[in-house]
Amino acid sequence: MVSESKKLIILLKKGDEAAFTELINTYNRRLFAYAVSLSGDYSLAKDIVQSVFVKTFEYRKRLDPEFSIQGFLYRSVYNQFINTYHKNQSLLKLH
């Protein structure tokens, strides 16, 4: 029997827009709350989550149904936060 997470990834890999919408509806609030807890900035958190969903859609064909989509999304938010933080620190040093 195939889990719901695996079905969702399989549909995403095929480019199913309804599956992508379901992914957003399922994880958007949780990822936003996580991003706010990392950054302390609502606007930045919104940008991070949006970026993660865009990148997830762009790279959907590389997703592996054997791995947790939830874990992938949370790790992506964390990585995006770290990248944004380092970018902002570099810009501050330039000013």
Side-chain angles (χ1 to χ4, degrees):
M1 181 169 214
V2 180
S3 73
E4 289 298 316
S5 179
K6 285 183 183 182
K7 285 181 194 176
L8 187 62
I9 293 173
I10 291 167
L11 290 172
L12 280 172
K13 289 179 77 143
K14 293 179 182 177
D16 188 315
E17 290 180 25
F20 185 65
T21 301
E22 182 180 339
L23 182 76
I24 291 171
N25 291 338
T26 302
Y27 293 104
N28 188 46
R29 282 185 167 169
R30 290 185 260 177
L31 294 175
F32 177 73
Y34 179 56
V36 168
S37 77
L38 292 171
S39 68
D41 182 332
Y42 287 93
S43 180
L44 178 60
K46 185 178 178 182
D47 291 343
I48 287 171
V49 172
Q50 183 176 15
S51 175
V52 165
F53 281 125
V54 168
K55 287 180 181 178
T56 299
F57 189 77
E58 288 174 352
Y59 297 107
R60 69 190 178 278
K61 292 185 179 183
R62 294 189 214 166
L63 293 173
D64 187 345
E66 298 303 315
F67 293 105
S68 165
I69 188 70
Q70 180 175 330
F72 170 79
L73 291 171
Y74 275 90
R75 175 54 70 183
S76 296
V77 166
Y78 178 78
N79 289 341
Q80 186 67 32
F81 166 72
I82 294 297
N83 291 342
T84 302
Y85 177 80
H86 287 302
K87 180 180 173 187
N88 289 343
Q89 291 301 313
S90 296
L91 290 174
L92 285 175
K93 286 180 184 177
L94 287 175
H95 288 295

